[in-house]
Amino acid sequence: VQLQASGGGSVQAGGSLRVSCTASGRTLSRYTTAWFRQAPGKEREFVANIRRSLSSSTTAYDDSVKGRFTISRDNAKNTVYLQMNSLKFEDTAVYYCGATERHVAGPMTRADDYSYWGQGTQVTVSS
């Protein structure tokens, strides 16, 4: 599966953005898909995931974004979204989407859990 991330941009603190991860080649609902982010000088960190349809499409979030970010999937568009509200300066990063067909026991919050990656999209929040 090929993943294309888009939708990043610049916004003031408190604002909103939505980033998209569109798949080609395969049906994304068969994959668990996640958003990670990487700020300059830091490691890639988990943001949110949505399980494959066979796993009831359950969602999980890092504590730092819980209540502000929402991950969702539109099967008709083969796209996973990350709606980001109440953005903070510390949300500034390159956002990457990853996907895997594998069923991995546990929360699937490690980058190594995912086999396919999009190219990343920059999100910049100014204070």
Side-chain angles (χ1 to χ4, degrees):
V1 65
Q2 290 81 44
L3 303 175
Q4 178 75 35
S6 62
S10 297
V11 65
Q12 288 190 330
S16 298
L17 279 175
R18 187 179 75 167
V19 291
S20 304
C21 178
T22 300
S24 59
R26 297 290 176 91
T27 301
L28 198 54
S29 62
R30 296 181 178 179
Y31 294 73
T32 292
T33 307
W35 285 98
F36 285 72
R37 64 188 180 186
Q38 188 166 18
K42 295 187 177 181
E43 294 187 353
R44 192 170 296 192
E45 64 177 13
F46 172 77
V47 176
N49 67 21
I50 181 166
R51 299 275 180 159
R52 58 185 185 172
S53 295
L54 282 176
S55 301
S56 303
S57 300
T58 55
T59 59
Y61 299 89
D62 184 76
D63 285 346
S64 65
V65 305
K66 203 171 292 183
R68 301 188 297 122
F69 291 11
T70 303
I71 190 169
S72 63
R73 184 172 56 228
D74 185 332
N75 292 337
K77 295 184 178 180
N78 219 26
T79 298
V80 166
Y81 300 101
L82 184 69
Q83 177 67 45
M84 303 180 289
N85 298 329
S86 302
L87 282 161
K88 303 176 181 180
F89 175 75
E90 51 264 39
D91 295 318
T92 296
V94 177
Y95 284 68
Y96 297 91
C97 59
T100 182
E101 286 180 294
R102 296 180 295 132
H103 173 68
V104 177
M108 296 187 71
T109 58
R110 301 181 310 128
D112 288 347
D113 291 331
Y114 298 87
S115 305
Y116 306 98
W117 291 93
Q119 84 288 3
T121 184
Q122 176 71 46
V123 171
T124 302
V125 184
S126 56
S127 57

